[in-house]
Amino acid sequence: MSHVVLYYHIVWRTKRSEFTITEEYEKELYAYLLGYCRNKGAKLIRIGGMPDHIHLLISIRPDISVSEFVQVMKVESSKWLKTQKQHFPYFNGWGNGYAAFTYSERDKEMIRHYIMNQKQHHQTISFRTEYDNILISWGLNPKEDMLFVDD
């Protein structure tokens, strides 16, 4: 019997980084995403974000690719959000792409805490700076990244 545990910190943003996820109703979006994860057999450990982006700490089954999982989750949640105009009146879709970083069991609590404290964190740092810092910590060049490029 194989045993696989993969933890991903997944980040994506709203189209044009617009502030369209209302704080008053973000928990409804989070509940929708939790349901999606459960239906796909994924374990959502923590979700959090801001009006312009989402962070997930998640363990995805090894037989589902991360790209397929996130792509379908973004499409399905976008459809759902557009049916919730009374709570998300300005939502126009998700931005292109996403970022996914792997973490070990040792790092799980650190990332969970980081996601849990997004509201406090963003009182002093923008999402763009936060994201660039994550890329740099992984040895990646923010100037080569395409997450903030819209069609």
Side-chain angles (χ1 to χ4, degrees), residues 5-147:
V5 179
L6 302 168
Y7 295 114
Y8 297 96
H9 176 195
I10 300 173
V11 183
W12 74 90
R13 67 185 183 90
T14 59
K15 187 174 271 189
R16 295 180 295 279
S17 296
E18 295 170 335
F19 284 38
T20 60
I21 302 169
T22 57
E23 186 172 356
E24 183 178 4
Y25 296 106
E26 69 186 5
K27 285 188 170 61
E28 290 181 23
L29 170 59
Y30 297 168
Y32 178 87
L33 294 172
L34 173 61
Y36 174 84
C37 292
R38 285 182 176 158
N39 287 338
K40 296 293 183 183
K43 181 179 178 187
L44 180 59
I45 298 157
R46 187 70 201 188
I47 187 170
M50 296 297 290
D52 64 339
H53 69 280
I54 300 283
H55 290 262
L56 301 176
L57 176 59
I58 192 166
S59 180
I60 300 171
R61 294 183 355 227
D63 62 325
I64 300 176
S65 73
V66 176
S67 61
E68 175 186 341
F69 182 87
V70 176
Q71 177 184 3
V72 175
M73 179 167 48
K74 285 175 59 182
V75 167
E76 294 301 318
S77 63
S78 182
K79 289 178 189 174
W80 178 82
L81 281 161
K82 289 176 180 178
T83 70
Q84 304 296 309
K85 284 293 186 190
Q86 72 277 18
H87 297 155
F88 304 95
Y90 304 108
F91 182 80
N92 292 309
W94 298 117
N96 294 329
Y98 68 94
F101 306 95
T102 58
Y103 287 92
S104 69
E105 182 70 32
R106 281 186 304 270
D107 299 323
K108 183 172 79 171
E109 188 59 25
M110 173 192 66
I111 299 302
R112 189 190 71 75
H113 185 72
Y114 175 78
I115 293 171
M116 184 173 67
N117 290 307
Q118 281 292 293
K119 302 269 189 281
Q120 296 85 355
H121 180 69
H122 284 295
Q123 290 177 0
T124 59
I125 189 170
S126 71
F127 174 46
R128 183 62 188 251
T129 301
E130 169 194 44
Y131 184 69
D132 286 354
N133 288 340
I134 292 171
L135 292 176
I136 291 166
S137 76
W138 281 90
L140 301 170
N141 184 347
K143 292 179 182 174
E144 296 173 357
D145 191 78
M146 300 298 291
L147 185 70

